[in-house]
Amino acid sequence: GTVIDETAPKYEIRIFAKRGDKDEFRAMYNPDSSTTSLEDTVKEVGYVQGYALDINVTEDSPYKFILLSGEVTDINNISYNGSESDEIEGVTLNKNRITVTKPAVFTVVVVDKFNNKSSLIMKLGEYIDTTVPTARVTEEYRDFYKLRLYVELEDKDNNGDQTKTVTLLSPTGLSFVDGKYYYEFTENKSITLYFVDIAGNIGYKTITVNSLDMNPPFGS
């Protein structure tokens, strides 16, 4: 006779951080073998510009993904032939990859042809950071021919919370003292600082100095 499949689909998730135009693999989650919860796994990945989630399913029968908005715990009425995914802002499904670019809470149901189901709830947004880091510049004059500028880099996430880490990309070799970089101008010119936050957002600031006296008077 016909073999009826009564086994719920098994799955594991590969979590990628979107960084610029690249996807960086960060973590694997498997409900049967992972020691941390899905929520804690996402937390450990840290700040990202967005997520790409590859859901690898082990299942003998044909199956599909149904995405539901919000936390859905009762999935009894979800069926292989009768259910469609919700439209969720910032969330797209392409084959087995879910891309998330905005804070979202949603439920993924993996349903096979015989209506066996597995589901998982994704709460993504706390660590989505698309806010560019900033630089605060303070001047400290030394004398007519030399000017020292202090630069303090800081970054906030999309909720306005400090993310702690900003890295100066260029110029390299600036001195670092008490949490601030400093640059000594000995001539009038412009420099542009480039810096990146932990999620991969790049900020820049151009500093122009034109106040130095480049024609020192000679003693008589």
Side-chain angles (χ1 to χ4, degrees):
T2 314
V3 177
I4 300 290
D5 173 358
E6 293 179 346
T7 310
K10 298 247 182 234
Y11 67 88
E12 64 179 20
I13 309 174
R14 291 169 62 81
I15 302 174
F16 295 82
K18 299 192 87 51
R19 197 178 169 95
D21 51 4
K22 289 199 279 294
D23 296 329
E24 296 179 358
F25 174 69
R26 291 288 173 84
M28 174 82 87
Y29 173 78
N30 182 315
D32 302 321
S33 61
S34 291
T35 51
T36 55
S37 67
L38 180 51
E39 217 159 322
D40 283 344
T41 305
V42 167
K43 189 175 178 175
E44 282 167 19
V45 166
Y47 285 105
V48 300
Q49 292 172 324
Y51 296 92
L53 311 166
D54 285 356
I55 304 183
N56 300 326
V57 176
T58 311
E59 169 57 52
D60 296 330
S61 316
Y63 64 89
K64 61 169 71 164
F65 296 104
I66 305 289
L67 267 53
L68 305 172
S69 185
E71 279 184 66
V72 181
T73 47
D74 179 6
I75 56 167
N76 289 332
N77 59 347
I78 298 294
S79 67
Y80 182 81
N81 289 321
S83 299
E84 296 285 322
S85 288
D86 292 341
E87 290 275 323
I88 305 164
E89 194 183 352
V91 179
T92 51
L93 170 66
N94 184 2
K95 299 191 176 73
N96 74 322
R97 169 166 283 208
I98 299 170
T99 304
V100 182
T101 55
K102 287 187 173 166
V105 177
F106 58 96
T107 304
V108 182
V109 182
V110 190
V111 55
D112 72 15
K113 189 180 140 177
F114 297 99
N115 292 325
N116 302 302
K117 287 164 272 203
S118 296
S119 72
L120 57 131
I121 290 167
M122 301 288 327
K123 297 181 188 174
L124 299 175
E126 190 181 344
Y127 300 102
I128 291 181
D129 173 17
T130 52
T131 304
V132 173
T134 56
R136 203 164 53 235
V137 178
T138 46
E139 296 192 358
E140 186 190 310
Y141 275 91
R142 286 291 166 199
D143 54 36
F144 289 122
Y145 321 121
K146 191 166 65 178
L147 167 62
R148 180 181 282 193
L149 290 184
Y150 285 101
V151 179
E152 211 169 345
L153 300 178
E154 68 169 26
D155 182 52
K156 293 183 171 161
D157 64 15
N158 290 5
N159 302 319
D161 298 320
Q162 298 277 355
T163 67
K164 305 283 189 284
T165 310
V166 189
T167 308
L168 184 67
L169 297 173
S170 73
T172 55
L174 261 58
S175 303
F176 189 71
V177 152
D178 291 338
K180 298 177 186 175
Y181 293 93
Y182 65 85
Y183 188 89
E184 225 146 44
F185 286 87
T186 52
E187 59 182 333
N188 291 317
K189 64 172 182 176
S190 293
I191 63 163
T192 300
L193 306 166
Y194 290 92
F195 36 91
V196 63
D197 71 12
I198 204 160
N201 302 300
I202 294 176
Y204 69 92
K205 188 173 186 83
T206 299
I207 304 166
T208 301
V209 167
N210 50 23
S211 58
L212 294 177
D213 180 356
M214 300 328 291
N215 300 307
F218 290 98
S220 51

